[in-house]
Amino acid sequence: DGGITQSPKYLFRKEGQNVTLSCEQNLNHDAMYWYRQDPGQGLRLIYYSQIVNDFQKGDIAEGYSVSREKKESFPLTVTSAQKNPTAFYLCASSFPGLAGSIEQFFGPGTRLTVL
Amino acid sequence: AQSVTQLDSQVPVFEEAPVELRCNYSSSVSVYLFWYVQYPNQGLQLLLKYLSGSTLVKGINGFEAEFNKSQTSFHLRKPSVHISDTAEYFCAVSETDSWGKFQFGAGTQVVVTP
């Protein structure tokens, strides 16, 4: 089955530690995205990548980093510089170059809690 | 720059009653419009999308939405809700020249009671 997987589902980290969230897709999509979700604020874009080895900052990139070495993988690192990292993180992918198929497909999410 | 406003943060509704969720957007160029649903602790699932053509769009689970260009709105409706429709609903807009980048609204929580 095609889809997006995120791991782990729940993640706990101590203050001052970096942590990496995994996102893998087997949809052959070119574009991938990371969002942060907080109650009452909807989804805010952290980083996005339109092709392999290229990515751009979204609206709230400070304290986060990403890489896109493979088409199917787009890991997100939450660094110790992120002031308030406790949130629900969603990964998505899309094929924006295909007419009629621009929608984003979402993974199940990772809930990060800083202790 | 594009923006999306969902006018209601929470909508309580009785089972089998109709529901309307309101969404307005702002953009200086043509847009694509979407509605997604999110159940607790899950990812988002696409309900429907407007790309072009007919302004009345039908989606999954009996939902439909109408694109109104003059009012820059894309309201979501369902004529009769079920308990299982309790979820959070997000409106999203993508400018046609943005190469797939989305802007999401803050979400509307729908609570269906018997």
Side-chain angles (χ1 to χ4, degrees):
Chain A
D1 288 335
I4 302 176
T5 57
Q6 291 186 244
S7 60
K9 188 169 178 64
Y10 297 96
L11 188 57
F12 299 88
R13 86 151 211 219
K14 294 181 180 179
E15 269 192 59
Q17 288 181 337
N18 293 353
V19 63
T20 297
L21 282 59
S22 168
C23 177
E24 304 277 333
Q25 56 100 357
N26 61 3
L27 300 167
N28 200 32
H29 284 169
D30 290 321
M32 297 187 74
Y33 312 82
W34 273 106
Y35 294 92
R36 172 182 171 135
Q37 185 177 19
D38 297 282
Q41 296 194 47
L43 278 69
R44 293 182 290 167
L45 184 64
I46 304 172
Y47 269 97
Y48 64 104
S49 168
Q50 294 171 330
I51 56 172
V52 175
N53 292 322
D54 187 45
F55 48 83
Q56 287 80 40
K57 293 182 179 179
D59 302 319
I60 55 165
E62 185 176 350
Y64 300 97
S65 66
V66 294
S67 63
R68 186 90 186 275
E69 297 176 0
K70 298 186 295 183
K71 187 175 187 178
E72 58 270 22
S73 178
F74 191 41
L76 173 74
T77 296
V78 184
T79 75
S80 57
Q82 169 50 232
K83 295 284 186 275
N84 184 20
T86 294
F88 191 52
Y89 290 88
L90 288 161
C91 179
S93 70
S94 72
F95 198 177
L98 181 62
S101 186
I102 193 176
E103 64 264 31
Q104 292 185 11
F105 292 78
F106 283 81
T110 292
R111 186 165 297 280
L112 173 64
T113 303
V114 175
L115 303 173
Chain B
Q2 59 196 359
S3 67
V4 182
T5 302
Q6 291 184 241
L7 296 157
D8 305 293
S9 60
Q10 189 167 42
V11 173
V13 58
F14 289 110
E15 193 175 17
E16 297 183 6
V19 70
E20 178 180 79
L21 308 184
R22 296 178 293 167
C23 173
N24 286 90
Y25 70 92
S26 173
S27 175
S28 57
V29 301
S30 298
V31 296
Y32 303 123
L33 295 156
F34 307 83
W35 275 100
Y36 283 85
V37 61
Q38 183 182 35
Y39 300 102
N41 291 313
Q42 294 186 26
L44 276 66
Q45 179 184 359
L46 182 69
L47 279 176
L48 49 78
K49 62 185 177 184
Y50 171 80
L51 302 181
S52 65
S54 173
T55 57
L56 183 63
V57 179
K58 294 191 183 297
I60 63 171
N61 300 341
F63 284 94
E64 64 179 33
E66 186 154 20
F67 170 53
N68 187 319
K69 188 174 182 180
S70 63
Q71 297 187 7
T72 61
S73 68
F74 190 55
H75 300 334
L76 180 71
R77 301 183 183 94
K78 185 170 183 177
S80 176
V81 297
H82 302 290
I83 297 290
S84 59
D85 291 321
T86 294
E88 189 151 26
Y89 294 79
F90 292 95
C91 180
V93 61
S94 179
E95 294 179 332
T96 56
D97 60 355
S98 70
W99 198 244
K101 194 175 169 189
F102 279 29
Q103 184 74 37
F104 284 86
T108 298
Q109 179 67 45
V110 172
V111 180
V112 182
T113 53

